[in-house]
Amino acid sequence: MAPNDSQPALWPAPTAAGAVDATVHVPGSKSVTNRALVLASLASEPGWLRRPLRSRDTLLMAAALRAMGVGIEEGVGTEKGSGEFWRVIPSGLHGPATVDVGNAGTVMRFLPPVAALANGPIRFDGDPRSYERPLHGVIDALRVLGARIDDDGRGALPLTVHGGGALDGGPVEIDASSSSQFVSALLLSGPRFNQGVEVRHTGSSLPSMPHIRMTVDMLRAVGAQVDTPESGGEPNVWRVTPGALLGRDLTVEPDLSNAQPFLAAALVAGGKVVVPDWPARTTQPGDRLREIFTEMGGSCELTEYGLEFTGSGAIHGIDVDLSEVGELTPGIAAVAALADTPSTLRGVSHLRLHETDRLAALTKEINELGGDVTETADGLHIRPRRLHGGIFHTYEDHRMATAGAIIGLAVEGVQIENVATTAKTLPDFPDLWTGMLGSDGA
Protein backbone atom coordinates (compact mmCIF):
# COMPACT_ATOMS: atom_id res chain seq x y z
CA MET A 1 0.00 0.00 0.00
CA ALA A 2 1.40 3.40 -0.96
CA PRO A 3 1.72 5.86 1.88
CA ASN A 4 -0.27 9.08 1.91
CA ASP A 5 -1.13 11.77 4.43
CA SER A 6 -3.99 9.82 6.01
CA GLN A 7 -2.82 6.24 5.77
CA PRO A 8 0.73 5.17 6.69
CA ALA A 9 2.34 2.34 4.78
CA LEU A 10 1.31 -1.10 5.99
CA TRP A 11 3.61 -4.11 5.73
CA PRO A 12 1.92 -7.54 5.74
CA ALA A 13 3.88 -9.49 8.35
CA PRO A 14 4.64 -12.91 6.82
CA THR A 15 3.29 -16.00 8.56
CA ALA A 16 5.67 -18.93 9.02
CA ALA A 17 4.66 -21.79 6.77
CA GLY A 18 6.67 -24.26 8.85
CA ALA A 19 9.77 -24.60 10.95
CA VAL A 20 12.56 -22.14 10.19
CA ASP A 21 16.08 -23.16 9.23
CA ALA A 22 18.20 -20.12 8.62
CA THR A 23 21.51 -18.38 9.16
CA VAL A 24 21.03 -14.67 9.82
CA HIS A 25 23.97 -12.27 9.69
CA VAL A 26 22.92 -9.62 12.18
CA PRO A 27 24.45 -6.16 11.57
CA GLY A 28 26.81 -4.59 14.10
CA SER A 29 25.85 -3.29 17.51
CA LYS A 30 24.44 0.23 17.64
CA SER A 31 25.53 0.59 21.26
CA VAL A 32 29.12 -0.40 20.48
CA THR A 33 29.27 1.60 17.24
CA ASN A 34 28.10 4.86 18.79
CA ARG A 35 30.31 4.55 21.88
CA ALA A 36 33.28 3.72 19.66
CA LEU A 37 32.63 6.76 17.47
CA VAL A 38 32.64 9.06 20.51
CA LEU A 39 35.81 7.53 22.00
CA ALA A 40 37.64 7.59 18.66
CA SER A 41 36.68 11.23 18.19
CA LEU A 42 38.17 12.13 21.58
CA ALA A 43 41.37 10.11 21.07
CA SER A 44 44.84 11.52 20.53
CA GLU A 45 45.40 9.54 17.32
CA PRO A 46 43.31 8.09 14.48
CA GLY A 47 41.37 4.86 14.97
CA TRP A 48 39.40 2.32 12.97
CA LEU A 49 35.91 0.86 13.34
CA ARG A 50 35.41 -2.31 11.36
CA ARG A 51 31.96 -3.69 10.48
CA PRO A 52 30.19 -0.72 12.09
CA LEU A 53 26.43 -0.58 12.04
CA ARG A 54 25.09 1.75 9.35
CA SER A 55 21.65 2.75 10.59
CA ARG A 56 19.79 5.97 11.27
CA ASP A 57 21.15 6.28 14.83
CA THR A 58 24.79 5.63 13.89
CA LEU A 59 24.69 7.82 10.79
CA LEU A 60 23.26 10.63 12.92
CA MET A 61 26.13 10.15 15.38
CA ALA A 62 28.74 10.23 12.60
CA ALA A 63 27.15 13.30 11.00
CA ALA A 64 27.08 15.09 14.35
CA LEU A 65 30.75 14.42 15.04
CA ARG A 66 31.67 15.52 11.50
CA ALA A 67 29.75 18.75 12.10
CA MET A 68 31.97 19.36 15.14
CA GLY A 69 35.14 18.87 13.08
CA VAL A 70 35.92 15.15 13.39
CA GLY A 71 37.12 13.39 10.24
CA ILE A 72 35.27 10.14 9.53
CA GLU A 73 36.27 8.39 6.31
CA GLU A 74 34.31 5.41 5.03
CA GLY A 75 35.72 2.50 3.07
CA VAL A 76 35.56 -1.22 2.36
CA GLY A 77 38.37 -3.60 3.25
CA THR A 78 39.87 -5.79 0.54
CA GLU A 79 40.72 -8.73 2.76
CA LYS A 80 38.19 -11.56 2.87
CA GLY A 81 35.62 -10.88 5.55
CA SER A 82 37.03 -7.48 6.47
CA GLY A 83 33.98 -5.62 5.19
CA GLU A 84 33.12 -2.00 5.75
CA PHE A 85 35.17 0.28 7.96
CA TRP A 86 35.19 3.84 9.25
CA ARG A 87 38.50 5.62 9.89
CA VAL A 88 38.08 8.27 12.58
CA ILE A 89 40.53 11.17 12.57
CA PRO A 90 40.25 13.34 15.71
CA SER A 91 40.77 17.07 15.36
CA GLY A 92 40.02 20.24 17.23
CA LEU A 93 36.31 20.16 18.08
CA HIS A 94 34.61 23.38 17.09
CA GLY A 95 31.37 25.18 16.40
CA PRO A 96 29.19 26.72 15.34
CA ALA A 97 27.38 23.54 14.41
CA THR A 98 23.91 22.06 14.52
CA VAL A 99 23.37 18.45 15.56
CA ASP A 100 20.28 16.49 14.49
CA VAL A 101 19.78 13.78 17.14
CA GLY A 102 16.74 12.27 15.41
CA ASN A 103 15.25 10.20 18.22
CA ALA A 104 18.54 8.55 19.22
CA GLY A 105 19.14 8.47 22.96
CA THR A 106 22.87 7.85 22.46
CA VAL A 107 23.25 10.94 20.26
CA MET A 108 21.18 13.31 22.40
CA ARG A 109 22.92 12.20 25.62
CA PHE A 110 26.49 11.28 24.63
CA LEU A 111 27.25 14.39 22.56
CA PRO A 112 26.47 17.38 24.82
CA PRO A 113 29.56 16.50 26.96
CA VAL A 114 31.62 16.31 23.75
CA ALA A 115 30.18 19.66 22.66
CA ALA A 116 31.29 21.20 25.96
CA LEU A 117 34.87 20.44 24.86
CA ALA A 118 34.41 22.21 21.51
CA ASN A 119 35.21 25.81 20.73
CA GLY A 120 31.94 27.57 19.93
CA PRO A 121 28.21 26.93 20.15
CA ILE A 122 26.71 23.53 19.27
CA ARG A 123 22.92 23.43 18.86
CA PHE A 124 21.05 20.15 19.41
CA ASP A 125 17.63 19.46 17.88
CA GLY A 126 15.72 16.38 16.78
CA ASP A 127 12.43 14.62 16.11
CA PRO A 128 9.35 15.84 18.03
CA ARG A 129 9.49 12.77 20.30
CA SER A 130 13.08 13.64 21.28
CA TYR A 131 11.74 16.76 23.04
CA GLU A 132 9.84 14.47 25.44
CA ARG A 133 12.77 12.24 26.37
CA PRO A 134 14.61 13.04 29.62
CA LEU A 135 17.89 14.90 29.28
CA HIS A 136 18.02 16.73 32.60
CA GLY A 137 20.59 14.33 34.07
CA VAL A 138 23.16 15.30 31.44
CA ILE A 139 22.28 19.00 31.31
CA ASP A 140 22.34 19.54 35.09
CA ALA A 141 25.55 17.52 35.50
CA LEU A 142 27.38 19.43 32.78
CA ARG A 143 26.46 22.73 34.40
CA VAL A 144 27.91 21.51 37.70
CA LEU A 145 31.07 20.48 35.84
CA GLY A 146 31.48 23.93 34.30
CA ALA A 147 29.52 23.94 31.03
CA ARG A 148 27.20 26.68 29.78
CA ILE A 149 23.98 25.34 28.27
CA ASP A 150 20.85 27.15 27.06
CA ASP A 151 17.72 25.00 27.26
CA ASP A 152 15.16 27.60 28.43
CA GLY A 153 14.78 25.60 31.64
CA ARG A 154 13.22 22.58 29.90
CA GLY A 155 15.79 19.97 30.84
CA ALA A 156 15.22 18.66 27.33
CA LEU A 157 15.78 19.41 23.67
CA PRO A 158 16.24 21.69 21.83
CA LEU A 159 19.31 23.20 23.49
CA THR A 160 22.64 24.86 22.78
CA VAL A 161 25.95 23.95 24.40
CA HIS A 162 28.38 26.89 24.41
CA GLY A 163 31.69 25.05 24.27
CA GLY A 164 34.74 26.69 25.73
CA GLY A 165 37.35 24.28 24.40
CA ALA A 166 37.73 22.52 27.75
CA LEU A 167 35.72 21.54 30.82
CA ASP A 168 36.78 21.52 34.46
CA GLY A 169 35.08 18.26 35.36
CA GLY A 170 35.29 16.80 38.85
CA PRO A 171 32.61 15.28 41.10
CA VAL A 172 28.92 15.41 40.23
CA GLU A 173 25.75 13.81 41.59
CA ILE A 174 22.96 12.74 39.24
CA ASP A 175 19.76 10.73 39.33
CA ALA A 176 20.11 8.30 36.42
CA SER A 177 17.12 6.13 37.35
CA SER A 178 15.35 7.20 34.12
CA SER A 179 18.32 6.33 31.88
CA SER A 180 21.71 4.70 32.39
CA GLN A 181 22.84 6.77 29.39
CA PHE A 182 23.22 9.76 31.74
CA VAL A 183 26.10 7.92 33.43
CA SER A 184 27.65 6.66 30.19
CA ALA A 185 27.49 10.14 28.65
CA LEU A 186 29.64 11.66 31.39
CA LEU A 187 32.06 8.73 31.57
CA LEU A 188 32.77 8.67 27.82
CA SER A 189 34.03 12.27 27.74
CA GLY A 190 35.42 12.18 31.28
CA PRO A 191 39.06 11.45 30.33
CA ARG A 192 39.13 14.75 28.43
CA PHE A 193 37.86 16.84 31.36
CA ASN A 194 40.62 18.71 33.22
CA GLN A 195 39.88 16.88 36.48
CA GLY A 196 38.33 13.79 34.96
CA VAL A 197 34.91 13.01 36.39
CA GLU A 198 33.36 11.31 39.41
CA VAL A 199 29.72 10.37 38.77
CA ARG A 200 27.60 9.51 41.79
CA HIS A 201 24.13 8.09 41.13
CA THR A 202 21.77 9.27 43.87
CA GLY A 203 18.42 7.93 42.66
CA SER A 204 16.64 4.63 42.99
CA SER A 205 17.56 1.53 41.02
CA LEU A 206 19.71 2.08 37.95
CA PRO A 207 18.35 0.48 34.76
CA SER A 208 20.38 -1.14 31.99
CA MET A 209 23.55 -1.74 34.00
CA PRO A 210 25.08 -3.85 31.18
CA HIS A 211 25.25 -0.69 29.07
CA ILE A 212 27.29 1.07 31.77
CA ARG A 213 29.59 -1.96 31.95
CA MET A 214 29.94 -1.74 28.16
CA THR A 215 30.95 1.92 28.47
CA VAL A 216 33.53 1.09 31.17
CA ASP A 217 35.00 -1.81 29.18
CA MET A 218 35.33 0.31 26.05
CA LEU A 219 36.94 3.18 27.99
CA ARG A 220 39.51 0.81 29.47
CA ALA A 221 40.21 -0.65 26.03
CA VAL A 222 41.35 2.78 24.80
CA GLY A 223 43.57 3.42 27.80
CA ALA A 224 41.29 5.18 30.28
CA GLN A 225 41.54 4.50 34.01
CA VAL A 226 38.06 3.83 35.40
CA ASP A 227 37.13 2.93 38.98
CA THR A 228 33.75 1.26 39.38
CA PRO A 229 31.61 -0.35 42.09
CA GLU A 230 32.53 -3.75 40.61
CA SER A 231 36.26 -3.02 40.93
CA GLY A 232 36.06 -2.30 44.63
CA GLY A 233 34.84 1.29 44.54
CA GLU A 234 31.87 2.83 46.29
CA PRO A 235 28.38 1.65 45.31
CA ASN A 236 26.85 3.76 42.54
CA VAL A 237 30.06 5.76 41.98
CA TRP A 238 32.21 5.77 38.83
CA ARG A 239 35.49 7.68 38.53
CA VAL A 240 37.41 8.39 35.33
CA THR A 241 40.95 9.76 35.56
CA PRO A 242 41.95 12.52 33.09
CA GLY A 243 44.29 11.35 30.34
CA ALA A 244 44.82 10.77 26.64
CA LEU A 245 42.78 8.14 24.82
CA LEU A 246 44.37 5.77 22.32
CA GLY A 247 43.21 5.27 18.78
CA ARG A 248 42.47 1.61 18.24
CA ASP A 249 41.34 -0.90 15.65
CA LEU A 250 37.94 -2.20 16.77
CA THR A 251 35.74 -4.80 15.11
CA VAL A 252 32.13 -4.20 16.12
CA GLU A 253 30.19 -7.18 17.49
CA PRO A 254 26.81 -8.14 16.00
CA ASP A 255 23.93 -6.36 17.74
CA LEU A 256 22.61 -9.10 20.00
CA SER A 257 19.42 -7.21 20.86
CA ASN A 258 18.68 -7.02 17.15
CA ALA A 259 19.14 -10.78 16.95
CA GLN A 260 16.08 -11.11 19.17
CA PRO A 261 13.33 -11.30 16.53
CA PHE A 262 15.24 -13.96 14.60
CA LEU A 263 15.79 -16.13 17.68
CA ALA A 264 12.14 -15.57 18.56
CA ALA A 265 11.20 -16.94 15.15
CA ALA A 266 12.69 -20.29 16.10
CA LEU A 267 10.68 -20.23 19.33
CA VAL A 268 7.43 -19.35 17.58
CA ALA A 269 7.73 -21.46 14.43
CA GLY A 270 10.08 -24.17 15.64
CA GLY A 271 13.30 -24.98 13.86
CA LYS A 272 16.77 -23.47 14.08
CA VAL A 273 18.31 -20.04 13.58
CA VAL A 274 22.09 -19.50 13.56
CA VAL A 275 23.57 -16.07 14.31
CA PRO A 276 27.25 -16.04 13.22
CA ASP A 277 29.97 -14.32 15.30
CA TRP A 278 27.99 -14.32 18.55
CA PRO A 279 30.70 -13.35 21.08
CA ALA A 280 31.71 -15.76 23.84
CA ARG A 281 32.10 -12.81 26.20
CA THR A 282 30.21 -9.53 25.86
CA THR A 283 28.66 -6.69 27.84
CA GLN A 284 25.73 -6.46 25.42
CA PRO A 285 22.35 -6.87 27.16
CA GLY A 286 21.14 -9.04 24.29
CA ASP A 287 23.29 -11.91 25.54
CA ARG A 288 20.59 -12.52 28.17
CA LEU A 289 18.39 -13.85 25.36
CA ARG A 290 20.21 -17.16 25.59
CA GLU A 291 18.92 -17.61 29.13
CA ILE A 292 15.46 -16.03 28.72
CA PHE A 293 14.47 -17.75 25.49
CA THR A 294 15.78 -21.08 26.79
CA GLU A 295 13.46 -20.71 29.79
CA MET A 296 10.63 -19.95 27.38
CA GLY A 297 11.11 -23.25 25.55
CA GLY A 298 14.16 -23.10 23.30
CA SER A 299 17.70 -24.45 23.50
CA CYS A 300 20.96 -22.95 22.37
CA GLU A 301 24.56 -23.86 21.72
CA LEU A 302 27.42 -21.40 21.40
CA THR A 303 29.95 -22.70 18.88
CA GLU A 304 33.08 -21.24 17.28
CA TYR A 305 30.87 -20.20 14.37
CA GLY A 306 28.18 -18.45 16.42
CA LEU A 307 24.96 -19.13 18.30
CA GLU A 308 22.67 -21.97 17.25
CA PHE A 309 19.20 -21.47 18.71
CA THR A 310 16.54 -24.17 18.37
CA GLY A 311 12.85 -24.03 19.18
CA SER A 312 10.40 -26.88 19.55
CA GLY A 313 7.34 -24.83 18.65
CA ALA A 314 6.21 -24.89 22.29
CA ILE A 315 6.43 -21.56 24.11
CA HIS A 316 6.22 -21.23 27.89
CA GLY A 317 5.37 -18.17 29.90
CA ILE A 318 8.01 -16.52 32.07
CA ASP A 319 8.27 -14.41 35.22
CA VAL A 320 11.37 -12.29 34.72
CA ASP A 321 13.04 -9.10 35.95
CA LEU A 322 14.16 -7.18 32.85
CA SER A 323 15.51 -4.10 34.64
CA GLU A 324 19.00 -4.63 33.21
CA VAL A 325 17.80 -5.54 29.71
CA GLY A 326 14.72 -3.38 29.20
CA GLU A 327 15.24 -3.07 25.45
CA LEU A 328 14.41 -6.78 25.12
CA THR A 329 10.92 -6.25 26.58
CA PRO A 330 8.93 -5.71 23.34
CA GLY A 331 10.22 -8.92 21.75
CA ILE A 332 9.73 -10.94 24.94
CA ALA A 333 6.19 -9.56 25.27
CA ALA A 334 5.42 -10.62 21.70
CA VAL A 335 6.62 -14.17 22.36
CA ALA A 336 4.78 -14.26 25.70
CA ALA A 337 1.52 -13.34 23.95
CA LEU A 338 1.88 -16.63 22.02
CA ALA A 339 2.88 -18.80 25.00
CA ASP A 340 0.95 -21.59 26.72
CA THR A 341 0.99 -19.97 30.19
CA PRO A 342 0.91 -16.37 31.51
CA SER A 343 3.98 -14.16 31.85
CA THR A 344 5.01 -11.30 34.11
CA LEU A 345 7.69 -8.89 32.90
CA ARG A 346 9.06 -6.75 35.76
CA GLY A 347 11.54 -3.96 36.45
CA VAL A 348 10.92 -1.89 33.32
CA SER A 349 8.97 1.21 34.38
CA HIS A 350 11.71 3.26 32.64
CA LEU A 351 10.40 2.00 29.26
CA ARG A 352 7.67 4.62 29.50
CA LEU A 353 10.41 7.12 28.58
CA HIS A 354 11.93 5.28 25.58
CA GLU A 355 11.29 5.91 21.87
CA THR A 356 7.63 5.73 22.87
CA ASP A 357 5.88 4.65 26.09
CA ARG A 358 6.64 1.04 25.31
CA LEU A 359 4.51 -0.42 28.09
CA ALA A 360 1.37 1.43 26.99
CA ALA A 361 2.09 0.74 23.33
CA LEU A 362 2.60 -3.00 23.80
CA THR A 363 -0.55 -3.26 25.91
CA LYS A 364 -2.68 -1.44 23.35
CA GLU A 365 -1.35 -3.16 20.25
CA ILE A 366 -1.39 -6.74 21.55
CA ASN A 367 -4.85 -6.26 23.07
CA GLU A 368 -6.20 -4.89 19.78
CA LEU A 369 -5.18 -8.21 18.20
CA GLY A 370 -7.26 -10.02 20.83
CA GLY A 371 -4.63 -10.32 23.55
CA ASP A 372 -4.92 -9.83 27.31
CA VAL A 373 -2.11 -7.59 28.51
CA THR A 374 -2.28 -5.36 31.57
CA GLU A 375 0.21 -2.76 32.70
CA THR A 376 1.65 -3.05 36.18
CA ALA A 377 3.58 -0.40 38.11
CA ASP A 378 6.87 -1.63 36.64
CA GLY A 379 6.00 -3.86 33.73
CA LEU A 380 3.42 -6.07 32.04
CA HIS A 381 1.27 -9.08 32.85
CA ILE A 382 0.45 -11.12 29.76
CA ARG A 383 -2.25 -13.80 29.59
CA PRO A 384 -2.10 -15.68 26.29
CA ARG A 385 -5.25 -15.55 24.18
CA ARG A 386 -6.10 -16.60 20.63
CA LEU A 387 -5.00 -13.64 18.54
CA HIS A 388 -6.34 -12.36 15.23
CA GLY A 389 -5.06 -10.13 12.45
CA GLY A 390 -5.10 -6.36 12.44
CA ILE A 391 -2.91 -3.28 12.20
CA PHE A 392 0.04 -3.22 14.62
CA HIS A 393 1.10 0.39 15.18
CA THR A 394 4.78 1.13 15.81
CA TYR A 395 4.82 4.71 17.18
CA GLU A 396 8.05 5.25 15.22
CA ASP A 397 9.68 2.69 17.54
CA HIS A 398 11.88 0.08 15.89
CA ARG A 399 11.33 -2.53 18.60
CA MET A 400 7.55 -2.21 18.33
CA ALA A 401 7.87 -3.03 14.62
CA THR A 402 9.91 -6.18 15.22
CA ALA A 403 7.54 -7.23 18.03
CA GLY A 404 4.64 -7.06 15.59
CA ALA A 405 6.58 -9.14 13.07
CA ILE A 406 7.15 -11.85 15.71
CA ILE A 407 3.40 -12.07 16.39
CA GLY A 408 2.73 -12.14 12.65
CA LEU A 409 4.68 -15.38 12.34
CA ALA A 410 1.87 -17.20 14.15
CA VAL A 411 -1.13 -14.94 13.42
CA GLU A 412 -2.40 -14.36 9.90
CA GLY A 413 -3.33 -10.88 8.79
CA VAL A 414 -1.02 -8.80 11.01
CA GLN A 415 -0.03 -5.60 9.22
CA ILE A 416 2.85 -3.53 10.56
CA GLU A 417 2.39 0.22 10.29
CA ASN A 418 5.64 1.95 9.23
CA VAL A 419 8.00 -1.03 9.29
CA ALA A 420 10.61 1.36 7.88
CA THR A 421 11.18 2.64 11.43
CA THR A 422 13.37 -0.46 11.94
CA ALA A 423 16.08 1.42 9.99
CA LYS A 424 16.84 3.21 13.27
CA THR A 425 19.03 0.29 14.33
CA LEU A 426 18.35 -2.64 11.95
CA PRO A 427 18.61 -1.66 8.28
CA ASP A 428 16.89 -3.93 5.74
CA PHE A 429 14.84 -5.71 8.43
CA PRO A 430 12.01 -6.69 6.04
CA ASP A 431 14.49 -8.32 3.65
CA LEU A 432 16.33 -10.09 6.47
CA TRP A 433 12.99 -11.33 7.83
CA THR A 434 11.63 -12.66 4.56
CA GLY A 435 15.05 -14.12 3.76
CA MET A 436 15.04 -16.03 7.03
CA LEU A 437 11.61 -17.48 6.32
CA GLY A 438 12.63 -18.53 2.81
CA SER A 439 16.11 -19.75 3.75
CA ASP A 440 17.35 -23.27 3.43
CA GLY A 441 19.94 -22.60 6.10
CA ALA A 442 22.71 -21.87 3.59
Side-chain angles (χ1 to χ4, degrees):
M1 176 179 288
N4 57 46
D5 291 340
S6 60
Q7 177 63 66
L10 298 177
W11 180 68
T15 304
V20 296
D21 184 4
T23 294
V24 181
H25 290 268
V26 176
S29 164
K30 176 203 73 174
S31 299
V32 172
T33 299
N34 274 358
R35 282 166 174 78
L37 281 171
V38 171
L39 291 172
S41 299
L42 296 173
S44 57
E45 56 192 350
W48 303 77
L49 270 70
R50 301 190 188 276
R51 288 159 57 180
L53 174 68
R54 287 182 57 88
S55 72
R56 187 185 186 213
D57 280 17
T58 61
L59 293 174
L60 285 169
M61 179 68 85
L65 291 165
R66 286 186 178 114
M68 286 189 267
V70 177
I72 301 177
E73 301 172 351
E74 302 183 31
V76 179
T78 55
E79 296 177 21
K80 182 180 179 182
S82 60
E84 233 178 311
F85 66 80
W86 288 345
R87 185 168 185 253
V88 182
I89 305 165
S91 62
L93 298 167
H94 61 79
T98 298
V99 168
D100 176 10
V101 309
N103 191 18
T106 52
V107 181
M108 71 180 73
R109 292 168 183 150
F110 292 178
L111 289 189
V114 177
L117 297 168
N119 280 300
I122 312 291
R123 177 172 170 78
F124 290 81
D125 208 338
D127 298 353
R129 170 63 181 172
S130 71
Y131 293 10
E132 303 170 29
R133 299 186 68 181
L135 204 53
H136 55 86
V138 174
I139 295 170
D140 295 346
L142 286 174
R143 286 182 175 138
V144 169
L145 298 172
R148 184 160 71 92
I149 301 174
D150 292 336
D151 68 338
D152 294 331
R154 286 182 303 270
L157 293 169
L159 59 86
T160 299
V161 178
H162 295 275
L167 197 66
D168 290 341
V172 65
E173 294 185 352
I174 63 170
D175 180 354
S177 52
S178 60
S179 176
S180 68
Q181 289 176 351
F182 295 167
V183 175
S184 287
L186 298 169
L187 297 183
L188 286 167
S189 292
R192 289 285 305 273
F193 300 165
N194 294 339
Q195 303 172 42
V197 71
E198 175 188 289
V199 181
R200 184 179 298 268
H201 166 61
T202 59
S204 56
S205 62
L206 193 56
S208 304
M209 277 296 297
H211 277 129
I212 295 179
R213 288 193 283 270
M214 175 186 293
T215 297
V216 169
D217 276 8
M218 293 184 68
L219 275 162
R220 288 172 172 162
V222 294
Q225 181 180 329
V226 189
D227 296 321
T228 70
E230 293 88 350
S231 61
E234 294 179 63
N236 291 323
V237 177
W238 292 262
R239 293 185 182 88
V240 179
T241 302
L245 298 178
L246 307 173
R248 66 165 297 194
D249 192 324
L250 172 71
T251 299
V252 178
E253 298 173 353
D255 193 314
L256 306 188
S257 294
N258 278 342
Q260 181 181 36
F262 305 102
L263 302 183
L267 264 183
V268 171
K272 181 177 72 173
V273 169
V274 177
V275 178
D277 303 317
W278 192 289
R281 177 190 174 276
T282 181
T283 51
Q284 287 193 61
D287 197 42
R288 274 281 304 279
L289 288 167
R290 292 191 290 153
E291 168 196 335
I292 293 167
F293 277 176
T294 295
E295 189 174 340
M296 296 187 81
S299 61
C300 64
E301 180 182 2
L302 193 57
T303 69
E304 290 185 2
Y305 182 68
L307 183 72
E308 294 184 3
F309 185 82
T310 305
S312 64
I315 307 169
H316 310 311
I318 192 171
D319 185 328
V320 62
D321 183 341
L322 298 176
S323 57
E324 290 206 346
V325 291
E327 66 198 53
L328 304 180
T329 302
I332 293 169
V335 173
L338 303 170
D340 53 18
T341 53
S343 295
T344 300
L345 313 184
R346 295 178 283 106
V348 287
S349 58
H350 60 286
L351 293 190
R352 295 187 170 98
L353 301 170
H354 274 223
E355 279 81 346
T356 187
D357 178 342
R358 284 179 171 166
L359 300 184
L362 287 163
T363 300
K364 179 177 182 294
E365 296 309 313
I366 295 174
N367 286 351
E368 289 193 353
L369 300 182
D372 184 359
V373 181
T374 53
E375 281 193 64
T376 64
D378 72 338
L380 299 172
H381 187 63
I382 302 167
R383 301 171 188 85
R385 294 286 184 269
R386 184 176 180 85
L387 303 182
H388 55 72
I391 296 175
F392 196 93
H393 298 91
T394 62
Y395 310 86
E396 298 185 2
D397 184 336
H398 54 131
R399 300 204 193 281
M400 287 296 296
T402 53
I406 292 168
I407 292 173
L409 289 170
V411 180
E412 291 187 4
V414 174
Q415 298 184 83
I416 311 297
E417 171 258 344
N418 190 19
V419 75
T421 195
T422 52
K424 179 175 169 33
T425 63
L426 187 52
D428 306 319
F429 169 74
D431 289 342
L432 286 169
W433 195 246
T434 54
M436 169 194 69
L437 294 174
S439 171
D440 59 3

